[in-house]
Amino acid sequence: MLFTDVSSERAIKAFEKAGFWISKEGKHVGMTNGTRKITIPRHNRLNPYTLKSIIRDAGLTDEEFKKLI
């Protein structure tokens, strides 16, 4: 499943619900849950393939992420 029209802010909020917190901010937002680290680029619309990769790196499935957004 590809997610289109998801902004970085919306993705950050979803990952915060999954237990991640912001560890670094700049051009990209670094987030961690203590064991996994993910990096989210700041864009109004994230590339669907980039987002899918970030979801996988976070250890979530598409369905789990869909419930968070």
Side-chain angles (χ1 to χ4, degrees), residues 25-69:
E25 290 191 74
K27 275 184 151 180
H28 294 77
V29 177
M31 298 186 81
T32 185
N33 67 355
T35 39
R36 294 179 180 266
K37 293 181 183 178
I38 57 174
T39 304
I40 303 169
R42 288 189 186 266
H43 293 294
N44 291 333
R45 186 181 156 282
L46 292 171
N47 181 306
Y49 296 101
T50 302
L51 181 57
K52 189 161 180 83
S53 176
I54 295 169
I55 293 167
R56 187 180 58 235
D57 290 346
L60 299 173
T61 64
D62 290 346
E63 291 301 318
E64 290 171 331
F65 184 76
K66 185 178 181 179
K67 290 177 185 174
L68 295 172
I69 57 171

Side-chain angles (χ1 to χ4, degrees), residues 2-17:
L2 289 177
F3 297 96
T4 57
D5 296 325
V6 176
S7 68
S8 58
E9 293 299 320
R10 192 169 169 201
I12 290 167
K13 288 179 184 176
F15 286 116
E16 285 177 336
K17 289 179 188 176

